[in-house]
Amino acid sequence: MDETSSPSTTTPSPKQDGILKRVLEEMGLISMYVSSRDVKLLCLQRFVRMFAYGISTLILVAYLDALKIPKTEIGLFMTLTLVGDICISFFLTLFADALGRRATLALGAILMSASGVVFALFGTYWVLLIAAVVGVISPSGNEIGPFKAIEESIVAQLTDPRKRSDVYAWYSLLGLVGAACGCMTCGWVLQYLTEMLQWDIIRAYRAIYVGYAILGLFKLTLTALLSHSVESEKKQQQNRARDDERRPLLEGSVQANPPPKGGLRWLFPDVSKESVPVVITLCLLFALDSFGSGLAPLSWITYYFKYQFNIEEGKLGSIFFVTQTIAGASLIVASSLAKRFGNVNTMAFTHFPSQIFRALLGVPSDVHLALVFLILNSSTQAMDTGPRSAFLATIVLPAERTAVMGTVNVVKTTAQSLGPILTGFLVERNLFWVSFACSGGLKAAYDLGLLAFFKEKEKERERAERLRIQQEEEEER
């Protein structure tokens, strides 16, 4: 009797299996499981990189302030850092497909590590500024450098279009969790160094940047483990005709093979005329959003809570660990919403509410109410991240992805670089609330503009993408 009854008690029913599979599919875990080894390595790289950005973001403004640098100059420092990132990112992403994506990612990791070494050894304003401009230091807690555009292009190349939103969601989630862990780790390590070991605060800050440099070297190791599959089609097969790759999103238009480019022109990507107006509109909207982000970057927000409410480093790190974790968890919900309502609708309708609370961050004089607004802002502010990456991967031609994503990131960084210097000017005059209000208002305007310009355009490109998949399946048969 026991032998016949035991299977029924241990074997899950088909209905239970179906429910479990459905849950895993909704969470995107099945898409991640079947993704390639390179995609998993890229996700791990993003976690490590954002962990490093998280530990730097918590202390960057405080470190410069401890060095007796005026707040206006701190704002200028952050602006010039972003300007340097613009130049380096534009150059590296423009030529990444031709020079090699792995080589470009490796160079970025070396620059990241070098910046950490300089910040750990020197305290002179101009030396630190040069290291931040030439190297990779995130003044905002967001992505900086050439990494994201190249990695997203690789993910799009190696992932089935139907699974992209899931993979991008987890890619973004790991980044936010990494930044959250970095903030919390930095806060408690600082508190241990200053209270238990009695280190002075500048020495403790420099110890953090030693860790930043080590993380850069770890990221370099992960880059070396990537396979040749991450390289562009052009890099893998220099003589392959381009029209097969261009045809799908042009909805079947037939073009002759372009003549080979001579001299240094082979380094530059081909960008079609059809993509130009789309890219211009995207750049204008993303510039508006990024300028709003630049007016209230995470490093200034941490500084605001530290000195406005006198919160110690350990608690401050834990607060931003919670907010970043909440933001990361919301990405999984966003992936599920994007499957049902589309990327553009998900981006606009989830991002908009958080900007209202962002605009109100500087109003409360009570720390508890301010923290409520901070958590409400974090709850949906990142929900547009995964759908935005999937949307960009769909809206442009495969051969153009790295260059276009790089260009978009450069435009975003350019717009964002204008914000910190204005914030520094406002903070010097005790007008922090103005920067929060302007930041939330501009980012809300971006949401409305995105909905107006791209709601229908996304549907057209999705139909073209499905046509491409069908054509490829027919050719394989």
Side-chain angles (χ1 to χ4, degrees):
M1 182 69 180
D2 293 339
E3 293 179 0
T4 57
S5 61
S6 59
S8 63
T9 59
T10 59
T11 304
S13 67
K15 184 177 180 180
Q16 289 176 323
D17 285 341
I19 294 174
L20 178 60
K21 183 178 180 182
R22 183 66 182 271
V23 170
L24 294 176
E25 285 178 345
E26 287 296 328
M27 294 180 65
L29 288 171
I30 291 180
S31 298
M32 278 300 301
Y33 179 77
V34 300
S35 65
S36 68
R37 173 178 173 271
D38 289 319
V39 169
K40 294 182 178 71
L41 279 173
L42 290 173
C43 290
L44 180 58
Q45 282 195 48
R46 180 165 167 84
F47 176 86
V48 172
R49 181 171 70 252
M50 294 305 293
F51 185 96
Y53 290 170
I55 67 174
S56 174
T57 297
L58 191 71
I59 65 170
L60 179 60
V61 176
Y63 179 39
L64 297 175
D65 186 59
L67 294 173
K68 308 301 181 184
I69 296 172
K71 293 179 179 61
T72 303
E73 291 187 20
I74 294 175
L76 178 64
F77 180 98
M78 298 172 72
T79 292
L80 293 178
T81 298
L82 291 170
V83 170
D85 173 63
I86 292 166
C87 300
I88 292 174
S89 295
F90 183 73
F91 176 81
L92 291 180
T93 54
L94 189 64
F95 300 133
D97 283 355
L99 297 176
R101 291 171 176 172
R102 286 178 298 177
T104 306
L105 291 173
L107 177 59
I110 292 171
L111 291 174
M112 177 179 169
S113 186
S115 297
V117 170
V118 174
F119 269 68
L121 296 178
F122 298 94
T124 306
Y125 179 81
W126 292 106
V127 174
L128 296 178
L129 179 60
I130 291 172
V133 169
V134 177
V136 180
I137 290 285
S138 175
S140 62
N142 296 324
E143 278 286 7
I144 193 170
F147 307 111
K148 186 180 179 184
I150 297 172
E151 289 175 354
E152 288 183 346
S153 182
I154 295 171
V155 170
Q157 177 177 305
L158 299 180
T159 306
D160 186 316
R162 291 163 291 193
K163 295 182 174 64
R164 277 182 195 150
S165 62
D166 291 336
V167 174
Y168 279 131
W170 280 96
Y171 172 83
S172 301
L173 167 62
L174 288 171
L176 285 171
V177 171
C181 293
C183 282
M184 185 174 69
T185 302
C186 176
W188 288 109
V189 168
L190 270 178
Q191 195 163 326
Y192 176 77
L193 293 176
T194 54
E195 295 183 4
M196 302 297 294
L197 301 185
Q198 299 297 309
W199 286 19
D200 66 83
I201 192 66
I202 292 180
R203 184 186 178 190
Y205 287 149
R206 288 176 174 171
I208 296 296
Y209 280 107
V210 171
Y212 185 92
I214 293 172
L215 289 169
L217 294 177
F218 182 45
K219 186 191 178 305
L220 178 63
T221 303
L222 293 175
T223 300
L225 296 176
L226 294 172
S227 73
H228 188 67
S229 300
V230 304
E231 303 295 354
S232 66
E233 290 291 327
K234 181 178 178 181
K235 187 72 176 176
Q236 295 183 51
Q237 300 178 2
Q238 294 286 346
N239 297 324
R240 181 177 177 179
R242 298 295 294 271
D243 63 307
D244 286 338
E245 192 175 24
R246 293 168 62 87
R247 179 171 7 101
L249 291 182
L250 296 182
E251 300 186 5
S253 60
V254 179
Q255 298 182 12
N257 290 345
K261 296 184 286 184
L264 292 177
R265 290 183 61 205
W266 71 274
L267 286 169
F268 292 86
D270 296 320
V271 179
S272 67
K273 294 180 180 179
E274 290 80 1
S275 296
V276 171
V278 173
V279 174
I280 291 175
T281 306
L282 279 173
C283 287
L284 291 174
L285 289 172
F286 286 150
L288 185 66
D289 178 57
S290 295
F291 180 63
S293 298
L295 288 171
L298 185 59
S299 52
W300 274 119
I301 295 176
T302 58
Y303 180 83
Y304 171 77
F305 275 88
K306 176 178 173 60
Y307 289 98
Q308 182 73 14
F309 302 110
N310 196 28
I311 301 175
E312 60 187 20
E313 284 84 358
K315 291 181 179 179
L316 191 68
S318 296
I319 288 170
F320 284 93
F321 170 80
V322 171
T323 58
Q324 293 286 80
T325 302
I326 292 172
S330 70
L331 288 170
I332 305 303
V333 179
S335 175
S336 182
L337 292 174
K339 296 172 188 175
R340 290 166 172 76
F341 304 109
N343 293 312
V344 172
N345 284 333
T346 303
M347 291 161 65
F349 288 111
T350 59
H351 191 249
F352 184 85
S354 69
Q355 304 318 311
I356 298 174
F357 298 108
R358 186 184 187 90
L360 296 174
L361 271 179
V363 175
S365 57
D366 177 68
V367 63
H368 299 96
L369 184 57
L371 287 174
V372 169
F373 284 165
L374 180 68
I375 292 171
L376 290 173
N377 169 245
S378 301
S379 61
T380 62
Q381 70 168 352
M383 288 181 75
D384 69 323
T385 307
R388 181 173 58 213
S389 299
F391 170 68
L392 275 175
T394 302
I395 207 73
V396 297
L397 303 174
E400 302 167 359
R401 283 189 187 121
T402 303
V404 170
M405 287 178 173
T407 301
V408 168
N409 283 342
V410 166
V411 170
K412 288 168 62 178
T413 307
T414 303
Q416 189 177 348
S417 69
L418 302 175
I421 191 170
L422 296 177
T423 304
F425 177 82
L426 291 170
V427 173
E428 196 77 53
R429 287 152 182 79
N430 200 28
L431 294 173
F432 222 138
W433 68 271
V434 176
S435 65
F436 286 130
C438 293
S439 174
L442 289 171
K443 291 172 75 67
Y446 149 78
D447 294 322
L448 298 177
L450 189 71
L451 200 61
F453 285 104
F454 285 103
K455 185 176 181 179
E456 297 301 322
K457 192 70 174 178
E458 181 189 21
K459 295 178 181 178
E460 295 176 9
R461 291 305 176 102
E462 284 178 346
R463 285 194 294 268
E465 188 79 359
R466 286 194 293 268
L467 178 61
R468 178 181 72 84
I469 295 170
Q470 291 174 2
Q471 290 174 340
E472 288 180 349
E473 290 175 350
E474 290 175 359
E475 290 174 0
E476 289 177 358
R477 295 194 192 104

